[in-house]
Structure formats: C-alpha cells, structure tokens
C-alpha cells in the first residue's frame, strides 16, 4: 500500500500571507528607493584684477598643477574638527573637473585678463616660452564643522626661467573663506570666491 503524504499547503500559505506585510514594511523591500544623483560643481572664479597696461614682453607657460590623494580627482574634500587629521570626501558632491585643472585654468584666465605678459600658453599649445609657472595644490577643502563653516585652500607656485630652469620666485598662496549658508551651493560659491582672491594675489605678484 502506497503511503499517503499529506501536504500542509494551506498552513504554509497562511503563514506566508501573514509574513508578507512585515517583509514589505522593511526598508528596501517591496518598494523602490529614491535614486540619489550626484551633483557636479564648477570652479570658475571671477577675475578681480583688470589690465595692467604694461605687459612684459615674454611668453609664459602655465603648467598643470600637481596634487596628492583625493585632491588629484574630482572629489570635494572635507575635514571635521573632531577628526582634523582625516581627509574625507563627499559621496554625491563632485567637481566637474579636478581642482588641479580648474585652478590652472583660473590662473590662465586671470593672467590673460590682467595682461601681465604678452602671451600666455598652456602645455597643449606646444609653443616656445620664456617662463614657466607651476606648482602643487596642498589644500582645497571644506571645513563644515568650524564656526562658522568655511573653505580653505593652499597652493605652492614657482616661476621658473625656461632657459636654465632657475627659479625666479616661489610662494605659498593660502586663505580661507566663510560659507554663507548651509547648502552645497553656498559651499561651492565660497570656493569660487576664495579662488578668485588667490588668483588676484598671483597676478599682483607677477606684475612688473
């Protein structure tokens, strides 16, 4: 005689029906979560120094700037008072271009607008030049837990003669700028204001 196997389907279905509301109530189960999109900010500071009227008769090459760690990429870096030795980056806030590239472009724009030299070129121009300006971005970060919140930057620049590679001048440009608001937009605006001030300092140093 073949034994009869009794399936407990009704009981299993009842238990599944009871558990379904609990499963659907768990975050991430049963309903799609809102999609988080990245926000990209442009570093494009205003030019503060006008034409000098007496450009030096030289060709100046503005090199790409160097940087270490997160500063070499598009991440927006921040640092807190609780962990001052730890550089962190925002997950969904980014620069359109790495700060190293944007700062070099800001230098070119500021020097050209001020007419410090007759010609300003960049590495892709493959032109002959008399002087080189380059350096490293040491700091470019948001300090959100400071009172008030602010942004800070530090850039080392050197002016070098092309012929013998001798250094004519070298200086560290640094500063801070308060963030006038509690939004990412306010932070980006502060970065642009600070960059504009630092570029103006470089221009004044280059003027005859």
């Amino acid at each position: 005689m073949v034994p009869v196997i009794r399936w407990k389907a009704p009981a299993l279905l009842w238990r599944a029906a009871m558990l379904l509301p609990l499963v659907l109530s768990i975050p991430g189960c049963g309903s799609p979560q809102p999609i988080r999109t990245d926000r990209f900010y442009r570093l494009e500071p205003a030019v503060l120094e006008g034409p000098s009227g007496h450009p030096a008769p030289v060709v100046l090459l503005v090199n790409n700037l160097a940087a270490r760690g997160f500063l070499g990429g598009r991440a927006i870096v921040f640092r807190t008072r609780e962990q001052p030795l730890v550089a962190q980056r925002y997950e969904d806030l980014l620069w359109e271009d790495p700060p190293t590239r944007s700062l070099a472009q800001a230098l070119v724009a500021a020097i050209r607008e001020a007419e410090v030299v007759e010609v300003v070129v960049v590495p892709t121009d493959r032109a002959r030049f008399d002087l080189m300006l380059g350096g490293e971005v040491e700091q470019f970060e948001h300090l959100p837990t400071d009172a008030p919140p602010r942004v800070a930057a530090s850039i080392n620049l050197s002016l070098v003669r092309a012929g013998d590679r001798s250094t004519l001048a070298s200086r560290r440009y640094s500063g801070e700028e308060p963030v006038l608001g509690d939004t990412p937009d306010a932070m980006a605006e502060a970065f642009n204001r600070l960059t504009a001030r630092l570029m103006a300092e470089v221009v004044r140093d280059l003027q005859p």
Side-chain angles (χ1 to χ4, degrees), residues 59-63 108 112 119-123 125 127-129:
V59 177
L60 173 67
L61 169 68
V62 177
N63 269 320
V108 171
R112 283 177 175 166
V119 181
V120 181
V121 297
V122 296
D125 291 331
R128 292 182 178 273
F129 52 89

Side-chain angles (χ1 to χ4, degrees), residues 9-205:
L12 292 175
L13 290 175
W14 181 83
R15 290 176 184 175
M18 294 296 293
L19 289 175
L20 183 59
L22 296 177
V23 173
L24 293 178
S25 67
I26 299 175
C29 295
S31 61
Q33 294 298 304
I35 298 175
R36 295 181 60 183
T37 58
D38 294 336
R39 300 186 69 177
F40 295 87
Y41 286 94
R42 178 177 299 176
L43 187 65
E44 194 174 47
V47 176
L48 302 182
E49 292 291 322
S52 64
H54 302 285
V58 297
V59 177
L60 173 67
L61 169 68
V62 177
N63 269 320
N64 297 324
L65 300 177
R68 301 179 183 180
F70 293 150
L71 291 179
R74 294 191 300 169
I76 296 181
V77 179
F78 71 94
R79 196 181 300 266
T80 65
R81 297 180 67 180
E82 293 75 20
Q83 295 180 300
L85 301 180
V86 180
Q88 304 178 65
R89 60 182 177 179
Y90 291 111
E91 293 295 331
D92 53 355
L93 302 178
L94 301 163
W95 294 114
E96 282 190 5
D97 290 309
T100 50
R101 182 185 305 168
S102 297
L103 289 169
Q105 292 172 346
L107 279 171
V108 171
I111 296 170
R112 283 177 175 166
E113 181 68 23
E115 298 179 357
V116 176
V117 297
E118 287 188 349
V119 181
V120 181
V121 297
V122 296
T124 55
D125 291 331
R126 299 184 180 278
R128 292 182 178 273
F129 52 89
D130 306 296
L131 302 174
M132 295 182 294
L133 181 66
E136 181 180 5
V137 180
E138 285 192 340
Q139 181 187 30
F140 203 73
E141 57 195 31
H142 184 208
L143 306 173
T145 59
D146 279 18
R150 55 201 170 96
V151 296
S154 179
I155 308 169
N156 287 323
L157 293 178
S158 295
L159 183 65
V160 177
R161 183 184 286 113
D164 56 7
R165 294 298 195 269
S166 60
T167 300
L168 302 177
S170 183
R171 183 185 162 185
R172 182 172 181 260
Y173 296 87
S174 60
E176 298 177 349
E177 180 73 20
V179 178
L180 306 179
D182 57 358
T183 65
D185 290 1
M187 173 198 65
E189 291 167 1
F191 272 118
N192 274 283
R193 291 195 304 271
L194 175 57
T195 302
R197 288 198 292 109
L198 296 181
M199 297 302 104
E201 286 187 41
V202 176
V203 167
R204 288 193 291 269
D205 284 347

